[in-house]
Structures are given as structure tokens and as C-alpha cells.
Amino acid sequence: MGFRSSRPARTDGEQLRLALAAARMGTFEWDLTTNSGRMSPELEAIHGLAPGEFDGSRDMMVELVHPDDREEFLAGFARAIADAGRYDTEFRIVLPTGEMRWRTAVATIVTDGNGTPARIIGVGQDITDRRLAEETLAEAQAKYRRMVEQLPLVTYVESLDAESALYISPQIEELCGYTAEEWVADPHFFGKVLHPDDRDHVLGEFANTHLTGDMYDGEYRIVAKDGRTVWVHDVAVRVRDADGNPLYSQGYMADVTARHAAEQALAESRAQLEQRMREIEHQALHDSLTDLPNRTLFHDRVDQALRAARRAGGSVCVMLIDLDRFKEVNDTLGHASGDVLLQEVARRLRTPVRESDTVARLGGDEFGVLASGVATADDAIVLAEKLREAVAKPIAVGGLSLEVDSSIGIAVAPDHGADVETLIRHADVSMYVSKRTHSPAVYSPETDHHSRVRLTLVADLRRALERGELIVYYQPQACATTGAVRTMEALVRWEHPVHGLLAPDQFVPLPEQTGLIRPLTLYMLDAALRQCAVWRNAGYDLAVAVNVTGRDLLDLHFPEQVAAAIERAGVVPEALELEITETTIMTDAARARAVLEALSALGVRLAIDDFGSGHSSLGYLKRLPIDVLKIDRSFVMNMAQRTDDAVIVRSTIDLGHNLGLQVVAEGVETEEALAWLTELGCDSVQGYFLGRPQPTDAVEWIVRRLARRLPPPDERAASG
Ligand code: C2E
Ligand code: CA
Ligand code: CA
């Protein structure tokens, strides 16, 4: 081994003693028969004695032992002798200097030939350093333990292959009601107290960190002894030896139930806040009456649909739906009934459309539909008809059964516009067309131009009235059998300085602009009655027919104004016929009836215009003071082609006669139509075949040729 000592070689005994001295060890011997003993010099040195200083007596031996340990020291000896066994003990000794040290005694009892204990031989070692180290360690441990057990935390130590703790600090009892002893006694305790919802994942995570050596840092619930749920924050680390091998795991658990409760309260109030925000947002984007999306949301959805269509290709169909004469329902039955009606309409509009389609209330009685999967105008019309039918079924409101007609305007992107504003504007234009045609209308650029002109014109109407740009055209109505003209219908025209001659459908205000109707009606009344006076003064037996609207008939002052106009013109009241469309009468029958009765009392004749185009019941008309029924021109014009129209014309003539009314057929365009109507017994005819509406000068020759002469004034007075 290449190791060379510089000293001369020693004997084995010498070497052993050197080794014993180095290990602070010495040997001893005790003779039980003489009760005296001997220590090796090394052991004497441990006791602070010079070699040979130990006198071998029991007394000195006992003297060397620390007084507190003497009793146990002697008892130990006695036990070893009694058992004839081994003796192994640690005790304190006192050095002559007074210093206290620790030594061991490991000995064997040697027996004599009879088996009686004779001698004790053994080894003693100074273990003061080790004891001191152990004490320091124990003190330190006790100190840390005290500290740990004072913390408001539960600390624990866990072996790496166990589920539960080896040690857990007593605070655990405060945390969950179970004592540390209960906890440590059962290796599966932890798993048992874990909240069922957390058990699997927490045990899994722990097992995983034991494997990887990662730190565990998590929160979970445990169920306390009294059933409470306790939230625990648990942090655990792996403790390793100097070589990095994991030894055990240690960690702490803190009760974070209060924090969790606070967090939960916070989360709840945040959720409430969010809910409230959502409600506010919903309110901002929905109509409160029907809960349908409002105009803002509708525009937004159309915008999104257009973007999606631009990206992915495809079309977007927008419809605007307006309820006809809703305002009158509202005015007559009250707002509460109007609301019920709107809610029902909203509900019905949802049925024909897809779940993903949007039905919105854009305001008042106007609704919007954004429909997907509607690519062509034909598809759109099909859907629009379904919507119209859904709305048209009778709705029970305030004890009445109302049939609600609707106008539907349609625009389909990209053909009819690529942005929201254009698309909706074009659907709006079509809606006005639909109002006139009484069927859903798809956008077309021509009608758009027309409608735009119309809107500006309506706005200019008042000025036109003041400037006298409105003129009256007359269309004759003749007796079907004799051909004699008895009545001239006054039809308005506008000689527009820019647009030229305009027909009434281009500017006669829609129900929405009712404020302009009265001035127009009064203007026409005055003009027609004045012209009538001219003809009558020239000796022709002519009456004039003037068109009035529902708005006129709802005003109880209207009869006075008519009376005043008749008086201004100076004609007999019988020379005036007022034409009222059947739909206007049905809207507010009670009020209209009062006005009609007042007018009839004046002596003015009353005609139902466009008969057959609405849904009025003849039974009801019977109770009104009506004199004339004008069959709608659409039936008359189509009589030759459509048998059902012919049937309608024939039965209307019969019905009118049964009610004692004069029947007039409008739209007589051909000789055949005239002949047939004559055969059916129709009283009067009106239409292009007899003459188109024309200005006064142009109808003058008709008046001279076809109007009957009035009897001379004296005869008139006599017969009147
Ligand atoms: P209306 O009261 O039914 O008037 C008859 C309409 O039928 C007139 O159109 C006339 O030109 C047209 N017509 C007459 N005979 C024929 C025919 O044989 N074939 C065809 N295809 N059409 C015929 P106009 O003058 O354009 O008036 C349209 C509507 O405008 C009128 O329908 C009436 O509802 C309204 N209107 C006209 N003037 C006035 C007015 O002064 N006040 C009000 N409130 N409305 C008016
Ligand atoms: Ca008319
Ligand atoms: Ca008519």
C-alpha cells in the first residue's frame, strides 16, 4: 500500500491501545468475587485520571459516575449480572476538574465453571461530543417544532409512498376537527377527508408530484369532522439527501375558506354585474314590447350577414313589413289593444322564418326580417306571402276579431345593394310599392326612381296646392243602356313644372302623410263643384264625383266643410257624389258611419269605390246610407279572361241591386265589356272605352253630346 511508518514497529497490544485511545475508548475489568476492578490507562484518561490512579474500588467507581446517574448505573449492572447477559449503557461521569462528560459501557458477564457470574469485561467510550451534538440537535428540533406548532398553519411530513402524513402538526385539529393522532394513525386518512369532488384529482396530483419530484401547490376542499367544507391551500416540497435522492415530502396546509368565500362573493357579484350588463345591452338592442331585436340590432345583423356573404358568397334577403292601417286600430281601440296586436304579430312573424333568421321591430308598426337561404326574388316572394298569411289570420283584440293586412318590401343583396343602408332603403322603397299593389314587392330600380320622386313630391304638395299646380281631370260615367252621361268623376293631376303631368298615384299622400289629405280634398271639392256649377248653369244635368279618404271620414267637421263648399259653388247637394273606398269605412266603422249619415243628410250621394278589393261585409254596408256601388276596375278589366272575375262582377251587380243600390262598373275598356255589363243590368259604366280622364276643355264635347239637358229653370222649380 506504499505506506511507511517513520516509527519503529510496535507490538499488537500497543497498536490496539493506540487505536482505542484514538477512538477515545478504553477497557475495563471487574471481578465479581472480590468486587474490585481495573481500568486501562485509556479509560482512566477518559475519566481524567492519570494511569493507575483508579484504585479499583467499587466506591471510587461509583464516585466517578454523575450523582444523578449512579442509581441507574448500579441497577443496570445488577440486571446484567442477574441475567448473565450483556451490558450496554450510557451515563454521565464527573471528572476531577468537575467537568461532566458522557461515556458508554459495553460489557459481557464472564461465568465460572459452575455458570456463576465471575467477571465483567468491557469497553468504555467517551461519547460526550456525540451526546452534545444530539442534544443540540434535539434542542434545535424542539425549538423548530415549537415554532412550527405555533404557526397558524398545519405542517406535515409525508413519506413518498404514502397517501397520508407521518407527522402532522396539532393545528390540524383547529382546521378540520380531527386530531393529529387520528390523522397519522390511518394511512388513508387524507383520502377519506378530501371533498369527494376534489378527491380524485388531488390524489392524482400528489402521486404525480411524488413521482416527478415537483413541488405541489394547490387548493382543495376537505370535509371537517362537523361536516363543514374547509378550503385548504397546500404547498409541499420534496426533501432530498446530499446526493439528491428524495427522502420524504413536507409541506403546510392553510385554511383559506374565508378567502374562498370572499372570492366566491366577489365572483357572484361580478356575475350579477355581468348579468345586469347583459340585460342592459339586451334592453338597448331589443324592443321592450315584443322583445324582438330593434332597429339598431337589425342593422347590425344585416351588416354581419352582408360581410359573411361577401366572404363566403351567397345572398342576403331583407324584408320590411308594415301593417296596413295599424294607426287606425290604435286610435280606435286604444294603445293597449294596439300593443296586444303588435305582440301577436311579432309572435306570428317568427313562425315562417328559420331559427337563425332575424325578425325585428323597427318601430311603430314596422317590422324587419333578415332571412338566410333566400337567394332569388321568387324565393323571397314565397316567404313574404307566408309572412303575410301568418299575420292576416284574424287576431282577437279587445273582443273584436281583426284581420291585419301587411305590406312587404323586399331587397336581396348583392343585386339590390351591397351595404346595409342601401339594402334597407331599397326594401323600404319596395314596401311603398307593396302598399299600392297590395302584394309583396321586390325592389326594382324603376320603382325606386318613382318612389324617390314621389316622396319629394308629397313634401312639395302643399306648395303645389298654393301655386295652383293641381288641376282636375274629368272622366265620364254613362248610363249603361242609354249612354247618357250623368256624372263626371274628378281625378286630380299635377302639372309639375319639372316632372310634367303627374298621375295621383305619384303624389296622393299615403295614410302616413294624412296632414296633406284635407287640403287636397277641399281643393278638389271646390274645383269640381265650381266646374259642376258651370255645366249646370249651361243647362246640363251633370253631377261630379269626388274621391275622399278615410281620414276625411273620421273628422266630424268634414260634413260642415262639404256643406260650405256646396254653398260656395251654388249647386244642389244632389250634384255631388263622394267616393269612399270600402276599406276606409271598415277601419273605424262607428265614426265613419256618423260622418256618412251627416253627409247623407245634406243630400250628398255616397258611393263605395273599388268595391270587391277589400273585405267589407255587405251586411254591414246595408246599414250605411250608401247610394252607389262602384265595382273595382280590376274585376271589370279581367272579366273576359277570368271567369271568377266575371262571377264577382255578376254577383256584385245582383247584390247591389238587392240592397237597392246603383251599380257602376269602372275600367270598361272594350265594347264587349260594355255589352256584357249592359246585359247583366249594370246601371252605369266608366272607363277608357267611353273616355279617359281629361281636362275640362277636352271633355266639353262629351258633355254637349251625352249629358242630358236640365229642364228650364221654371220647370225645375215646379218639379223641385
Ligand atoms: P279611382 O278612384 O278608382 O279612379 C279611377 C282610376 O281608374 C283613374 O286613375 C282612372 O284613370 C282609371 N281608369 C278609368 N278608366 C279606366 C280604364 O278603362 N282602364 C284603366 N286601366 N284605368 C281606368 P287615376 O286618375 O290615375 O287615379 C288613380 C286613383 O287615385 C283613383 O282611383 C283614386 O283612388 C285616386 N285619386 C285620384 N284623384 C283623387 C283625388 O282627387 N283625391 C283622392 N283622395 N284620391 C284621388
Ligand atoms: Ca274613384
Ligand atoms: Ca275606383
Side-chain angles (χ1 to χ4, degrees):
M1 306 245 265
F3 177 80
R4 272 175 160 271
S5 170
S6 56
R7 299 238 188 124
R10 298 178 196 253
T11 64
D12 283 355
E14 263 178 325
Q15 277 189 6
L16 179 63
R17 265 206 302 283
L18 279 172
L20 287 172
R24 293 191 62 78
M25 273 181 162
T27 56
F28 64 88
E29 240 186 277
W30 195 262
D31 188 336
L32 292 171
T33 49
T34 59
N35 211 15
S36 62
R38 191 175 77 70
M39 288 183 185
S40 71
E42 291 79 19
L43 194 57
E44 284 180 312
I46 286 170
H47 280 276
L49 303 175
E53 200 177 337
F54 178 54
D55 67 2
S57 71
R58 185 180 180 278
D59 287 351
M60 186 166 177
M61 183 61 233
V62 172
E63 195 84 344
L64 292 174
V65 177
H66 189 283
D68 291 351
D69 290 354
R70 279 175 198 157
E71 205 178 318
E72 174 55 31
F73 173 78
L74 292 172
F77 253 109
R79 267 197 310 274
I81 294 160
D83 300 349
R86 255 174 71 89
Y87 177 67
D88 187 345
T89 186
E90 287 181 10
F91 55 93
R92 284 168 293 180
I93 54 174
V94 183
L95 272 45
T97 54
E99 188 191 349
M100 193 205 78
R101 295 190 74 84
W102 279 89
R103 60 155 281 206
T104 60
V106 180
T108 336
I109 312 295
V110 182
T111 51
D112 62 13
N114 309 320
T116 314
R119 271 188 322 141
I120 299 174
I121 53 168
V123 187
Q125 182 179 17
D126 184 333
I127 55 158
T128 309
D129 291 350
R130 200 197 83 203
R131 286 298 301 223
L132 276 178
E134 277 174 9
E135 264 165 30
T136 318
L137 191 66
E139 260 169 41
Q141 275 179 349
K143 201 164 78 191
Y144 289 126
R145 191 181 185 119
R146 272 197 304 279
M147 216 166 80
V148 151
E149 295 187 348
Q150 275 169 7
L151 290 173
L153 291 172
V154 176
T155 45
Y156 63 88
V157 174
E158 207 170 69
S159 79
L160 295 180
D161 50 4
E163 186 176 284
S164 213
L166 291 173
Y167 162 81
I168 191 152
S169 68
Q171 294 97 315
I172 190 67
E173 191 173 352
E174 202 185 313
L175 185 125
C176 68
Y178 295 105
T179 63
E181 290 71 31
E182 283 176 285
W183 192 291
V184 174
D186 179 352
H188 302 296
F189 202 79
F190 182 56
K192 287 177 188 162
V193 295
L194 264 173
H195 191 282
D197 292 350
D198 291 342
R199 188 172 295 141
D200 290 349
H201 79 87
V202 171
L203 292 180
E205 284 161 25
F206 265 98
N208 200 41
T209 54
H210 283 178
L211 276 177
T212 59
D214 287 344
M215 173 167 170
Y216 174 85
D217 187 343
E219 291 186 357
Y220 51 79
R221 286 159 291 178
I222 57 183
V223 181
K225 201 168 188 171
D226 60 7
R228 263 179 317 128
T229 295
V230 180
W231 271 99
V232 170
H233 182 192
D234 190 327
V235 177
V237 291
R238 232 61 43 219
V239 177
R240 296 160 193 279
D241 66 12
D243 297 329
N245 302 311
L247 295 173
Y248 56 89
S249 175
Q250 74 178 29
Y252 68 82
M253 293 154 79
D255 184 340
V256 290
T257 311
R259 199 198 75 208
H260 263 266
E263 276 173 4
Q264 197 167 332
L266 193 70
E268 268 163 23
S269 72
R270 187 173 300 153
Q272 274 168 11
L273 196 70
E274 277 165 9
Q275 171 68 19
R276 187 79 197 99
M277 298 286 283
R278 276 195 296 276
E279 278 166 17
I280 290 170
E281 196 182 73
H282 185 91
Q283 278 164 18
L285 295 176
H286 290 78
D287 161 49
S288 58
L289 179 66
T290 61
D291 205 38
L292 291 178
N294 63 15
R295 185 178 286 273
T296 312
L297 186 54
F298 185 67
H299 276 237
D300 200 51
R301 295 253 175 98
V302 173
D303 190 40
Q304 281 171 20
L306 286 171
R307 284 170 205 277
R310 261 201 298 281
R311 276 197 308 275
S315 56
V316 173
C317 174
V318 165
M319 298 189 188
L320 295 189
I321 304 170
D322 195 271
L323 307 184
D324 296 347
R325 306 195 321 276
F326 171 76
K327 280 187 190 67
E328 284 146 41
V329 171
N330 230 5
D331 291 348
T332 347
L333 300 177
H335 285 282
S337 297
D339 286 355
V340 170
L341 184 85
L342 288 172
Q343 283 168 332
E344 180 58 17
V345 167
R347 206 182 56 73
R348 291 184 182 189
L349 286 175
R350 279 245 47 115
T351 39
V353 300
R354 293 183 186 179
E355 190 63 35
S356 57
D357 291 347
T358 298
V359 175
R361 182 172 172 221
L362 307 180
D365 57 348
E366 196 181 335
F367 294 85
V369 170
L370 165 64
S372 54
V374 177
T376 66
D378 286 349
D379 290 349
I381 292 277
V382 169
L383 177 59
E385 286 291 1
K386 282 187 195 156
L387 290 165
R388 229 165 85 95
E389 273 166 34
V391 172
K393 294 201 188 82
I395 299 177
V397 176
L400 293 177
S401 172
L402 299 183
E403 287 176 29
V404 182
D405 255 335
S406 49
S407 306
I408 305 185
I410 303 163
V412 184
D415 292 356
H416 304 151
D419 62 282
V420 192
E421 273 66 39
T422 312
L423 199 62
I424 290 182
R425 200 182 62 237
H426 287 172
D428 196 45
V429 164
S430 318
M431 193 186 73
Y432 278 95
V433 174
S434 169
K435 271 204 185 302
R436 286 199 304 276
T437 59
H438 298 290
S439 61
V442 179
Y443 176 75
S444 87
E446 301 88 74
T447 52
D448 185 16
H449 173 71
H450 179 92
S451 299
R452 248 178 298 162
V453 170
R454 183 173 208 285
L455 286 174
T456 36
L457 285 175
V458 171
D460 288 349
L461 189 60
R462 203 180 297 275
R463 231 158 1 120
L465 279 160
E466 285 161 8
R467 290 183 188 164
E469 285 171 13
L470 297 185
I471 53 163
V472 188
Y473 271 36
Y474 293 94
Q475 187 177 30
Q477 233 179 60
C479 170
T481 42
T482 65
V485 171
R486 244 204 56 86
T487 309
M488 289 290 211
E489 181 175 1
L491 295 160
V492 68
R493 296 290 181 269
W494 184 351
E495 277 183 327
H496 195 279
V498 179
H499 301 291
L501 190 71
L502 299 175
D505 66 338
Q506 287 174 280
F507 63 90
V508 168
L510 292 168
E512 287 85 289
Q513 300 109 4
T514 45
L516 290 163
I517 276 292
R518 179 51 49 79
L520 175 69
T521 304
L522 295 180
Y523 174 89
M524 290 297 286
L525 266 175
D526 261 331
L529 284 168
R530 249 179 265 247
Q531 182 56 49
C532 187
V534 170
W535 284 322
R536 290 184 76 89
N537 290 340
Y540 298 104
D541 185 11
L542 275 179
V544 283
V546 174
N547 293 281
V548 300
T549 70
R551 203 27 76 146
D552 298 321
L553 289 188
L554 293 178
D555 185 348
L556 295 168
H557 298 296
F558 184 59
E560 293 164 26
Q561 292 171 319
V562 172
I566 292 170
E567 208 171 300
R568 273 198 297 278
V571 293
V572 291
E574 294 73 33
L576 176 65
E577 195 170 292
L578 294 177
E579 296 193 0
I580 310 133
T581 58
E582 53 167 326
T583 41
T584 57
I585 297 176
M586 297 312 291
T587 310
D588 186 353
R591 190 117 67 110
R593 184 174 174 169
V595 173
L596 289 175
E597 254 145 25
L599 289 169
S600 184
L602 287 178
V604 170
R605 287 159 60 84
L606 300 174
I608 297 291
D609 203 355
D610 300 347
F611 186 80
S613 63
H615 313 275
S616 53
S617 89
L618 266 177
Y620 185 78
L621 290 181
K622 198 164 70 176
R623 289 187 268 143
L624 294 174
I626 301 296
D627 307 285
V628 178
L629 209 60
K630 292 185 81 176
I631 307 173
D632 192 71
R633 62 180 181 272
S634 60
F635 303 111
V636 178
M637 278 153 51
N638 295 330
M639 270 184 327
Q641 291 83 41
R642 296 174 54 128
T643 38
D644 47 347
D645 282 352
V647 170
I648 289 172
V649 171
R650 181 203 289 266
S651 53
T652 307
I653 293 169
D654 292 346
L655 274 166
H657 286 163
N658 285 342
L659 292 172
L661 305 177
Q662 293 265 310
V663 180
V664 180
E666 294 186 312
V668 181
E669 294 184 337
T670 61
E671 197 172 357
E672 297 81 71
L674 174 62
W676 203 67
L677 287 162
T678 310
E679 202 184 306
L680 291 176
C682 186
D683 301 290
S684 302
V685 286
Q686 178 181 352
Y688 291 173
F689 182 68
L690 293 126
R692 291 177 177 256
Q694 282 175 298
T696 327
D697 333 339
V699 290
E700 205 49 50
W701 70 271
I702 296 180
V703 172
R704 277 201 297 273
R705 263 187 51 202
L706 297 175
R708 285 190 310 191
R709 303 286 309 181
L710 280 165
D714 47 328
E715 279 176 39
R716 255 179 274 163
S719 68

